[in-house]
């Protein structure tokens, strides 16, 4: 992985595309999850368009993997990429000292965009310990450059950091089970959606920022746009969860292949409803 990361950016991009095509052929379980998710979320697609979107999505998984290797092992000034930021002033800590909850999402360019933004605006982030000690060391070392890694179950630490005026990067767009979740729409499909966004925003007394990520120009340029959520959280955490899902839908539609559809987003079903995978 260290050697591959040293390849020039265009070579890594094309190698990532090739790996993604290999995933499409060989990673049958992940491809099946992707097929189900896209069929549920885009029911109007023709069979041919659905197959094309699945192939493009699997290709982008490979591109994202190679980008992740590069940020693990290369200094940022050696990446050979450009970042375009929109509304970056929203990421500044104001005079009131309030922390900022950055509500991110699982796009394939997440790690690259996270690093590029972190150079300007350091932020803490949640993490899960890897079973492989080598990967755990590499991952922690990489993430720890721009903020404090916080164990995903340590909500007290996260709230304390927000109250102390730090930024916290949080990803609420996966299925974390029934606990502390509401069943709300995501692309017209009922999805178990965490209420943690409201809990962190309220308990941390934080401003809430929603970023949109995009990979452009064959991975030579990345666009990140920030939006501040007014009147968040509300008195209805389920409505807040649906609001986050709606923003995510809006962010996905311009380039749906860049979203990580290989996650089982709909694995937790309402009681009495059959599984979809």
């Amino acid at each position: 992985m260290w050697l591959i990361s040293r390849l020039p950016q265009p070579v890594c991009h094309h190698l990532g595309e090739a790996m993604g095509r290999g995933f499409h052929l060989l990673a049958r379980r992940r491809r099946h999850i992707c097929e189900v998710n896209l069929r549920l979320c885009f029911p109007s697609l023709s069979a041919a368009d659905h197959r094309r979107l699945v192939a493009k999505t699997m290709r982008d998984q490979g591109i994202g993997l190679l980008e992740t290797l590069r940020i693990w092992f290369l200094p940022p000034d050696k990446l050979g990429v450009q970042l375009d930021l929109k509304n970056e002033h929203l990421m500044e800590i104001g005079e009131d000292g309030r922390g900022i909850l950055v509500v991110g999402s699982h796009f394939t360019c997440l790690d690259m965009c996270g690093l590029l933004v972190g150079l300007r605006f350091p932020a803490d982030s949640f993490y899960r310990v890897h079973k492989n000690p080598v990967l755990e060391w590499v991952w922690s070392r990489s993430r720890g450059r721009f903020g404090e890694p916080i164990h995903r179950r340590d909500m007290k630490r996260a709230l304390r950091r927000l109250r102390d005026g730090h930024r916290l990067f949080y990803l609420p767009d996966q299925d974390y089970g029934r606990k502390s979740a509401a069943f709300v729409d995501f692309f017209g499909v009922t999805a178990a959606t965490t209420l943690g966004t409201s809990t962190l925003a309220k308990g941390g007394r934080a401003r809430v920022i929603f970023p949109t990520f995009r990979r452009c120009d064959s991975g030579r340029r990345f666009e990140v746009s920030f939006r501040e959520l007014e009147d968040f959280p509300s008195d209805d955490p389920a409505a807040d969860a649906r609001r986050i899902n709606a923003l995510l839908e809006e962010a996905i539609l311009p380039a749906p292949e860049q979203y990580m559809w290989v996650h089982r987003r709909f694995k937790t079903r309402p009681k009495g409803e059959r599984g979809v995978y």
Side-chain angles (χ1 to χ4, degrees):
M1 290 192 293
W2 184 89
L3 289 171
I4 291 173
S5 73
R6 260 57 189 174
L7 296 171
Q9 186 277 331
V11 176
C12 277
H13 185 83
H14 290 302
L15 180 58
E17 288 183 317
M19 290 182 65
R21 287 191 286 270
F23 294 158
H24 183 246
L25 292 173
L26 301 174
R28 295 182 180 181
R29 175 163 172 73
R30 289 296 172 182
R31 185 183 68 206
H32 170 71
I33 293 169
C34 177
E35 289 169 345
V36 172
N37 285 337
L38 291 174
R39 191 176 296 114
L40 289 171
C41 293
F42 300 96
S44 62
L45 286 179
S46 68
D49 286 340
H50 178 264
R51 287 194 297 271
R52 280 191 287 268
L53 183 53
V54 169
K56 290 171 66 177
T57 300
M58 297 303 289
R59 181 204 66 185
D60 266 52
Q61 307 305 308
I63 294 171
L65 175 60
L66 264 292
E67 289 172 354
T68 297
L69 294 187
R70 300 189 79 227
I71 69 167
W72 276 0
F73 298 112
L74 278 184
D77 61 349
K78 301 295 184 182
L79 291 170
V81 298
Q82 175 186 341
L83 174 66
D84 292 340
L85 285 179
K86 296 181 180 179
N87 300 323
E88 59 189 288
H89 66 281
L90 296 176
M91 288 288 284
E92 299 285 355
I93 301 295
E95 294 182 359
D96 58 5
R98 292 175 66 193
I100 298 176
L101 180 65
V102 185
V103 183
S105 32
H106 285 85
F107 285 82
T108 58
C109 57
L110 169 65
D111 284 338
M112 181 64 78
C113 289
L115 177 137
L116 296 174
V117 171
L119 292 171
R120 297 278 301 276
F121 304 105
D124 303 334
S125 59
F126 285 105
Y127 80 100
R128 180 176 60 183
V129 176
H130 285 279
K131 295 180 180 179
N132 185 304
V134 176
L135 291 178
E136 168 64 17
W137 177 80
V138 170
W139 190 92
S140 298
R141 173 176 167 269
S142 175
R143 286 288 178 91
R145 289 179 291 177
F146 309 110
E148 178 181 316
I150 300 173
H151 192 278
R152 60 177 182 163
R153 298 189 187 280
D154 194 353
M155 292 292 285
K156 289 184 179 180
R157 180 62 181 166
L159 292 171
R160 190 178 307 118
R161 293 286 288 179
L162 285 171
R163 290 171 186 163
D164 289 343
H166 295 271
R167 302 179 190 88
L168 175 66
F169 197 80
Y170 179 58
L171 301 167
D173 63 323
Q174 288 188 337
D175 187 329
Y176 298 113
R178 296 180 186 278
K179 186 177 180 180
S180 300
F183 284 99
V184 296
D185 277 2
F186 177 57
F187 279 107
V189 185
T190 302
T193 305
T194 180
L195 304 179
T197 312
S198 297
T199 301
L200 286 166
K202 185 175 182 179
R205 308 184 190 101
R207 294 167 48 220
V208 180
I209 302 296
F210 186 89
T212 299
F213 309 124
R214 192 80 67 241
R215 178 190 298 107
C216 308
D217 303 329
S218 297
R220 292 186 295 270
R221 183 170 63 86
F222 295 85
E223 294 181 354
V224 180
S225 177
F226 300 107
R227 176 189 307 190
E228 184 164 4
L229 304 190
E230 302 292 341
D231 302 317
F232 193 101
S234 69
D235 294 331
D236 185 348
D240 293 341
R242 172 57 193 142
R243 183 178 177 187
I244 294 297
N245 281 356
L247 289 169
L248 180 55
E249 293 168 11
E250 183 181 335
I252 288 172
L253 284 175
E257 70 279 3
Q258 292 191 24
Y259 189 63
M260 291 187 187
W261 296 107
V262 295
H263 294 305
R264 291 187 300 159
R265 182 64 187 89
F266 307 108
K267 67 180 179 181
T268 303
R269 309 310 305 144
K271 291 182 178 180
E273 188 174 316
R274 294 180 59 184
V276 298
Y277 301 110

